[in-house]
Amino acid sequence: MNAVLFDRDGTLVHDVPYNADPARVRPVDGARAALDALRAHGIRTGVVTNQSGIARGLLTEADARRVNRRVDELLGPFDVWALCPHGPDDGCPCRKPRPGMVLWAAARIGADPADCVVIGDIGADVEAARRAGAHGILVPTPQTRPEETAAAPHVAPDLPSAVRLLLGTPPWDRVPDSPRPAAHGQDPPPGRGAPDDRPATGPGPSAPAADRTGRSTGGVDRSAAASAPGGSGAGPARTRHPDVSVGPVPRAPEGRPTAGLARLPAHDVRTPQGRDA
């Protein structure tokens, strides 16, 4: 593991929907110590955050920069920042659950996505990790839907616990217990297969083990960053520092944000109660 990429709102800091005020930034309990522990082990850290309030006209790019700068003052320095200013209907490749920001942030710090972990509080965070070929850990909050927790490959009760999980033996690196071989002349245990490696009879698991152990069976979507506006992953706002301008927001002729691109799945449409990962 070379890097950990964090969602911002609800993961590093308490979620204030569409926050434009740096004074309202409050780190979650244990965040500072958890980040210090990662850095002490030489693990790089970054932030990947959806901020659709910019596209919705609820805050400005300057507001987002000020809030990011405050987060960096309290919990940084982070090695990389990536911010998506687009709305759910803009169809951009950077907005989580699409993998563009994760792929770009990993490339920016010279890390293979397979050596990165994404920690977030909703399903879009772990899904972006899965599509990028990274590992994902869900830290549920009251905004996390039960089905998101049930579907997450790895779950931790809070941010410090998630980091302790990483600094120990991450679950995807653990070797499962091997069945003991049957003694000579004994039948193998039920369901373990015969000595000639014939498959055991009877119903198998309802889903492949990889579905719940951190690696996707659906493959890695590395096309998202390359297909972003400008090419080679230029979709998210990307910078090592939180005060650099965020990326462009599509605009309609009258100056309002437009939603003229492909629609994202309905479950990704966030409510004002804090679902903009």
Side-chain angles (χ1 to χ4, degrees):
M1 177 181 60
N2 293 332
V4 180
L5 305 175
F6 296 89
D7 171 54
R8 193 189 80 180
D9 303 319
T11 301
L12 289 174
V13 299
H14 291 282
D15 188 23
V16 177
Y18 309 125
N19 184 23
D21 183 0
R24 302 183 71 186
V25 172
R26 292 188 303 116
V28 302
D29 291 345
R32 176 80 252 183
L35 287 158
D36 286 346
L38 288 172
R39 293 171 182 136
H41 283 77
I43 298 169
R44 308 189 80 173
T45 60
V47 180
V48 288
T49 177
N50 288 352
Q51 293 297 322
S52 70
I54 297 171
R56 299 174 196 268
L58 301 174
L59 67 155
T60 67
E61 297 177 7
D63 293 332
R65 291 197 299 271
R66 285 191 293 270
V67 171
N68 285 349
R69 192 155 48 240
R70 181 57 176 161
V71 174
D72 207 67
E73 289 171 355
L74 294 171
L75 299 175
F78 291 97
D79 296 293
V80 63
W81 280 81
L83 181 154
C84 174
H86 305 108
D89 296 328
D90 289 340
C92 73
C94 54
R95 179 179 168 83
K96 296 176 290 184
R98 295 184 178 184
M101 281 196 291
V102 176
L103 293 172
W104 183 89
R108 179 74 176 180
I109 57 178
D112 189 317
D115 294 325
C116 296
V117 179
V118 177
I119 298 178
D121 67 317
I122 65 173
D125 300 312
V126 294
E127 176 65 7
R130 183 191 72 80
R131 294 187 190 184
H135 302 283
I137 297 179
L138 185 74
V139 178
T141 69
Q143 299 300 333
T144 310
R145 296 172 181 148
E147 61 268 26
E148 292 174 326
T149 302
H154 308 290
V155 179
D158 51 45
L159 187 61
S161 298
V163 168
R164 285 194 296 270
L165 185 69
L166 297 178
L167 295 179
T169 302
W172 46 86
D173 286 342
R174 295 173 188 168
V175 178
D177 293 336
S178 300
R180 293 183 180 180
H184 181 69
Q186 293 183 353
D187 291 332
R192 292 280 173 83
D196 62 354
D197 294 327
R198 290 191 301 270
T201 59
S206 59
D211 287 346
R212 296 289 296 171
T213 55
R215 280 306 167 140
S216 161
T217 58
V220 176
D221 181 3
R222 296 192 185 278
S223 63
S227 63
S232 301
R238 38 198 188 273
T239 170
R240 289 184 181 275
H241 302 287
D243 57 346
V244 177
S245 177
V246 298
V249 182
R251 297 282 170 180
E254 69 272 23
R256 294 178 177 272
T258 181
L261 302 178
R263 184 177 180 83
L264 292 180
H267 71 267
D268 187 52
V269 178
R270 305 307 183 193
T271 68
Q273 282 73 46
R275 292 283 304 175
D276 198 358

